[in-house]
Amino acid sequence: MSDLTAFSKFWREVNRTLWRCAVDKVEPRDFVRIDMWNRVENVQRLEKSALYRVSKPKIAESAIYRACRWIVAQGKRTPAGASTFFDVEDVTAPENAAIPEHWPKFYPGVDTSLGKDPSLVRRNDVDNYQVFVNGFFYAARAAELAGIAPQSVTFEFIFSKDRWRVHGDKTRPITSIQVNFFYLSAGPKIWNALFAAIVQKNLQSRKIAEKYAQTTQAQKLLAVYSDMSPLRINDVYNLNRMFDELNAEYFNDALLRPMIAWTTRPNYRQLGSYNFFWDIICLSRILNDPRVPELAVRFVLFHEMVHIKHGARQENCRFKTHTPEFKLDEARFKGKDEAEEICKHLREIVDMP
């Protein structure tokens, strides 16, 4: 496989198949999942052997490939397991609501003295393929509630700046509906609002559907295919594993792992950041280099994890994060002084022949 062109055609076929299953209310056969994994595995094998590298992150084929890789990340060739998409959750559930009118002024952080809360499901335990299938079933049900026969239209997830696109003609105003991939993990309330906005032109529903783009759920999926570079199998450092190790050593395993990504460009000044709104840790690509000691990478990641623990306060229209409590907790890192010294001289380290 010399390029990703085949993924565009494959994506349309998968969307068509799962939409048909949703319309007919039948469980999709597992060959869809297996075929997707085989295609992703083929590209990963080529990447690992340095025979191929996925470039140009903004092109559609690359975005589709990264989405497929995310979808099959947990399942590989194994079946999806027990079907859950017929149990449609309560449309009035709070988790299905859009983002509040105003962001809270205080992010409380995490009490790491309590240890891991067994009621919380770690993101790695979520079956992404099942989430993908559920999206089609929620969409089909929302179409019916909005007064449109789902079998009369086509439906597809797309990767673009548009939240949704609608195609039709004079005789049939709506023949095709395309919805941004970041709506995939939305609950029924958002799907119902989205189709009410598309079909019934309901202004209030449109506001709810558009506001969802600012939520954590949407932004996490946006990061799957956006300019934030996802972690790769051939990275120098395994940041997910490093997070788990630091979590166990310093935080009593109390932090839920957020989305972790590299920046698209190397940055010498800002080596890391944690986004409270999106729950994303982003580390500078400059750290993904064998010449950079692991101690420095662990310290930068640890620093962002301390942000998760202590949260942030809004004071005088500014967020305050580096509090005395934060700095005291950060000082617990073993080898902090050495790590900070390495970080000060990263440009010389990486530019060395």
Side-chain angles (χ1 to χ4, degrees), residues 7 10 41 53 80 84 86 123 150 154 167 189 233-234 237 258 264 279 296 351:
F7 269 91
F10 173 68
E41 187 183 45
R53 183 174 178 83
T84 59
F86 292 117
R123 187 169 300 109
T154 61
H167 304 279
K189 181 174 182 178
I233 58 174
N234 56 354
Y237 294 111
T264 54
D279 191 27
D351 287 345

Side-chain angles (χ1 to χ4, degrees), residues 6-282:
F7 269 91
S8 292
K9 181 179 179 181
F10 173 68
W11 184 256
R12 287 192 295 270
E13 293 172 351
V14 168
N15 278 259
R16 196 159 45 238
T17 299
L18 295 183
W19 178 244
R20 195 159 49 240
C21 290
V23 170
D24 296 338
K25 295 182 173 62
V26 297
E27 182 179 356
R29 295 181 180 178
D30 202 54
F31 75 83
V32 177
R33 181 188 194 128
I34 295 173
D35 193 10
M36 188 178 295
W37 169 250
N38 286 337
R39 290 169 184 265
V40 170
E41 187 183 45
N42 183 41
V43 176
Q44 287 182 325
R45 190 183 299 113
L46 292 174
E47 282 188 286
K48 193 172 184 179
S49 61
L51 295 175
Y52 184 71
R53 183 174 178 83
V54 178
S55 59
K56 297 181 180 179
K58 292 185 179 181
I59 64 173
E61 291 80 6
S62 181
I64 292 172
Y65 160 67
R66 290 199 298 276
C68 288
R69 185 176 61 183
W70 176 85
I71 289 170
V72 297
Q74 283 77 27
K76 299 188 178 181
R77 292 191 178 86
T78 58
S83 300
T84 59
F85 43 72
F86 292 117
D87 300 323
V88 179
E89 56 188 295
D90 182 6
V91 297
T92 63
E95 59 269 22
N96 292 325
I99 195 173
E101 288 296 325
H102 303 285
W103 285 106
K105 293 186 177 181
F106 174 62
Y107 294 86
V110 179
D111 186 353
T112 57
S113 65
L114 300 177
K116 187 183 351 183
D117 185 346
S119 67
L120 297 175
V121 179
R122 300 186 71 87
R123 187 169 300 109
N124 282 0
D125 296 334
V126 176
D127 188 333
N128 294 343
Y129 178 76
Q130 194 65 63
V131 174
F132 185 50
V133 172
N134 290 354
F136 288 91
F137 278 78
Y138 284 144
R141 183 175 182 274
E144 292 177 341
L145 293 176
I148 185 172
Q151 60 268 23
S152 67
V153 299
T154 61
F155 176 85
E156 179 183 1
F157 284 104
I158 58 172
F159 307 87
S160 72
K161 294 181 180 179
D162 299 326
R163 288 171 172 77
W164 60 79
R165 295 174 183 170
V166 181
H167 304 279
D169 51 42
K170 292 182 179 179
T171 58
R172 295 176 59 200
I174 302 178
T175 58
S176 173
I177 298 174
Q178 297 176 315
V179 174
N180 198 299
F181 185 75
F182 62 58
Y183 279 100
L184 180 62
S185 59
K189 181 174 182 178
I190 302 302
W191 278 110
N192 295 345
L194 195 154
F195 272 83
I198 293 174
V199 179
Q200 302 168 353
K201 310 297 183 183
N202 185 291
L203 181 59
Q204 184 60 31
S205 295
R206 184 184 182 93
K207 290 180 179 179
I208 293 174
E210 290 183 338
K211 194 176 292 185
Y212 179 77
Q214 303 172 39
T215 63
T216 298
Q217 301 99 304
Q219 295 296 346
K220 285 173 183 173
L221 286 177
L222 177 64
V224 169
Y225 66 92
S226 69
D227 285 342
M228 288 183 186
S229 300
L231 305 183
R232 306 163 69 92
I233 58 174
N234 56 354
D235 281 334
V236 175
Y237 294 111
N238 186 328
L239 297 184
N240 284 328
R241 184 175 62 196
M242 194 177 292
F243 180 97
D244 293 340
E245 292 171 353
L246 292 169
N247 196 14
E249 182 178 359
Y250 292 100
F251 303 96
N252 197 19
D253 202 27
L255 303 182
L256 286 181
R257 188 200 297 165
M259 169 73 73
I260 305 178
W262 299 107
T263 60
T264 54
R265 298 179 180 85
N267 191 325
Y268 293 95
R269 294 188 176 182
Q270 186 177 22
L271 299 178
S273 64
Y274 174 66
N275 192 305
F276 288 95
F277 298 105
W278 300 355
D279 191 27
I280 296 176
I281 289 178
C282 213

